[in-house]
Amino acid sequence: MAEPQSKPDPDPEPKTEATVTGQDLFGYVGIESVLDQMKRKAVKTGFEFNIMVVGQSGLGKSTLVNTLFKSKVSRKSCNPSFEEGISKTVNLQSISHVIEEKGVKMKLTVIDTPGFGDQINNLNCWEPIMKYINEQYEKYLKEEININRKRKIPDTRVHCCVYFVPPTGHCLRPLDLEFMKRLGKVVSVVPVIAKSDTLTLDERQRFKERIRQDLWTNGIKVYPQKEYDEDAEDRILNDKIREKIPFAVVGTDKEHQVNGKNVLGRKTNWGVIEVENVAHCEFANLRDLLIRSHLQDLKDVTHNIHYETYRVRRLNESNLNGIGLSASPLASMNGTAVRKESESNL
C-alpha cells in the first residue's frame, strides 16, 4: 500500500530569497533613455562656440556681443582702460570666456577685427580674416590626423561670422559685397544692420529689401542656405529667418524703466528703444538664431561643410605633391612656403 501523503503546512515560512526583476533593478528601459545619456555626457564635456564680429569701428560690435550673451565678453569690457584707435591694418583679437547657466558650461570665444574698413584704401582688407579662418581649420586638421590624437580636439574654428552693415539706407558698398562673397565660401555669414535705430521703419524696410536684392544679384549666400535644409520642418523655419535677413539690430547694456519694468534699451528724446522688443528692432530674432535654435546647426555646418571642403582640398594637395601634411606650408611658420600657402588660400 502506498504511504499516505503528508498534508502541506497551512502556514509555510516565507522564503528568504526573493526574485528581483530587471525592472526593479534598473527602472524603465526605453530607447529614449539614449537621449538622457547623451545629455549627461554633453553637459559633462561642455560646449564650445566661436563667433567672429566684422565691421567698421563705431558700429556697436562689442556692445551687441555683450547684449547677446548678457555678459561683458568683448575686448573692450575685458580691458576697461582700452582706448580704441584706428588701426593701420586689420588686427584680429580673440577673447575666451567660460559661461555657465543652469549647470551647462560653454566656452565662448569672441574674435574681433579692429581696423576692418577704417582705411581710405581697403584693398584686400579681408585677407587677414581669411588667413585666420584657414589657420584654425589647419590647426584642427593637424590634430585630427595625429596618430595619438586627443580624445577631444580643441575646436578653435570660427562657427559664425556676424557682419555689420552700416545703416546708410542706400545699398551695400563694394567692400560689403566683396567681403561676404569671399567669406561666405569658408564660414557661415550672418549680416546685420548696425544701429538700426538711426533709420525710420520705412527706411529700414526699404534698406533690407535692397540688401536682399544686392545679395541675390551678386550670388552671395548667407546663413542659413537653402541647400543645407534637411527636411520640410527645417525649410519652413529657415524660410522665416531668410525673410528677415539682414537683421536690423540695436545693442545696449543699460536698463531703463518702461511701464514699471526694467528693460534693456536705448533712451532717446522721444522714448526708449527696447532691444528685446521685436516691434522696435530684430535683436531678439538674431539672438534666437545664434543661441536658441541654430547654435548646434552652425557648428555642424562648419564641421560638415566648410571644414570638410578645406580638409578635402588640403589632402588632395598633399597627395598631388607627394608629401605629408607635416610638411604643409602652414606647418612651417617661417620661409616662403608660408606666403605661398597664404596666397593660395586667399
Side-chain angles (χ1 to χ4, degrees):
M1 296 179 61
E3 296 181 3
Q5 295 180 353
S6 59
K7 296 182 178 181
D9 191 353
D11 298 320
E13 295 182 359
K15 295 181 179 180
T16 57
E17 296 182 1
T19 304
V20 182
T21 62
Q23 186 172 357
D24 296 330
L25 279 175
F26 303 104
Y28 173 74
V29 178
I31 298 177
E32 64 268 24
S33 62
V34 176
L35 296 177
D36 295 331
Q37 300 173 32
M38 295 174 63
K39 181 180 178 181
R40 287 195 299 269
K41 188 173 182 179
V43 169
K44 289 180 180 179
T45 306
F47 301 91
E48 295 174 325
F49 188 62
N50 308 317
I51 182 172
M52 174 182 283
V53 289
V54 181
Q56 285 181 308
S57 301
L59 292 181
K61 301 187 296 295
S62 300
T63 303
L64 183 69
V65 171
N66 292 340
T67 310
L68 271 173
F69 298 97
K70 293 186 177 181
S71 302
K72 294 184 178 182
V73 295
S74 67
R75 57 189 174 91
K76 292 184 180 179
S77 302
C78 298
N79 188 4
S81 61
F82 174 80
E83 294 183 2
E84 184 175 18
I86 297 179
S87 177
K88 294 182 179 180
T89 58
V90 180
N91 180 25
L92 277 72
Q93 300 177 358
S94 63
I95 296 177
S96 299
H97 303 267
V98 177
I99 301 176
E100 184 172 358
E101 181 178 352
K102 296 182 180 180
V104 179
K105 293 183 179 181
M106 182 177 71
K107 182 182 179 182
L108 172 67
T109 301
V110 179
I111 303 102
D112 201 353
T113 55
F116 177 83
D118 291 341
Q119 309 304 316
I120 296 176
N121 183 6
N122 290 307
L123 182 64
N124 298 332
C125 63
W126 51 79
E127 289 187 355
I129 299 174
M130 291 281 292
K131 181 179 179 182
Y132 178 86
I133 294 173
N134 286 329
E135 283 176 349
Q136 307 316 306
Y137 289 152
E138 184 73 17
K139 187 184 297 184
Y140 192 92
L141 178 60
K142 290 293 182 59
E143 291 288 343
E144 195 176 47
I145 64 176
N146 281 339
I147 297 177
N148 298 320
R149 61 183 180 182
K150 302 175 183 177
R151 293 184 59 184
K152 187 177 187 304
I153 301 175
D155 191 0
T156 60
R157 299 169 297 180
V158 179
H159 300 129
C160 178
C161 174
V162 180
Y163 185 75
F164 287 69
V165 178
T168 60
H170 301 295
C171 60
L172 290 175
R173 303 168 301 169
L175 175 62
D176 303 326
L177 294 172
E178 191 66 26
F179 177 87
M180 286 189 280
K181 182 183 295 185
R182 291 173 179 268
L183 267 291
K185 299 177 182 179
V186 296
V187 70
S188 298
V189 178
V190 178
V192 300
I193 302 174
K195 294 188 175 181
S196 63
D197 54 326
T198 59
L199 303 172
T200 65
L201 294 180
D202 292 337
E203 290 173 342
R204 191 178 77 181
Q205 185 60 33
R206 288 196 298 268
F207 191 32
K208 287 166 64 73
E209 292 173 359
R210 184 62 184 271
I211 290 176
R212 284 195 289 265
Q213 180 64 31
D214 289 344
L215 294 176
W216 182 81
T217 302
N218 291 274
I220 299 173
K221 297 180 180 180
V222 296
Y223 182 85
Q225 291 91 329
K226 288 185 178 181
E227 56 267 28
Y228 300 160
D229 297 340
E230 295 182 355
D231 50 34
E233 185 178 355
D234 285 348
R235 191 178 303 110
I236 294 173
L237 175 61
N238 291 337
D239 282 342
K240 294 180 180 178
I241 296 172
R242 284 187 280 264
E243 290 174 358
K244 297 177 181 178
I245 284 179
F247 298 108
V249 298
V250 177
T252 183
D253 53 1
K254 296 182 180 179
E255 291 187 349
H256 301 277
Q257 273 204 349
V258 178
N259 298 327
K261 295 182 180 179
N262 290 331
V263 297
L264 283 172
R266 297 183 63 181
K267 191 173 183 179
T268 63
N269 294 332
W270 53 87
V272 176
I273 302 172
E274 300 177 31
V275 170
E276 297 178 317
N277 189 341
V278 292
H280 293 185
C281 74
E282 296 172 337
F283 168 80
N285 301 117
L286 174 65
R287 181 186 58 192
D288 289 347
L289 172 70
L290 296 181
I291 302 176
R292 183 179 181 182
S293 61
H294 285 69
L295 187 147
Q296 185 58 44
D297 187 65
L298 282 165
K299 298 179 65 175
D300 292 341
V301 169
T302 299
H303 182 77
N304 299 326
I305 305 297
H306 300 303
Y307 169 70
E308 189 66 18
T309 302
Y310 179 86
R311 188 185 70 87
V312 170
R313 179 171 63 84
R314 288 289 294 114
L315 293 178
N316 286 336
E317 288 176 358
S318 64
N319 291 335
L320 289 175
N321 296 332
I323 58 175
L325 280 175
S326 58
S328 65
L330 285 177
S332 173
M333 298 309 295
N334 297 318
T336 58
V338 177
R339 291 191 294 272
K340 291 181 180 179
E341 176 63 12
S342 300
E343 292 171 0
S344 63
N345 288 339
L346 296 174

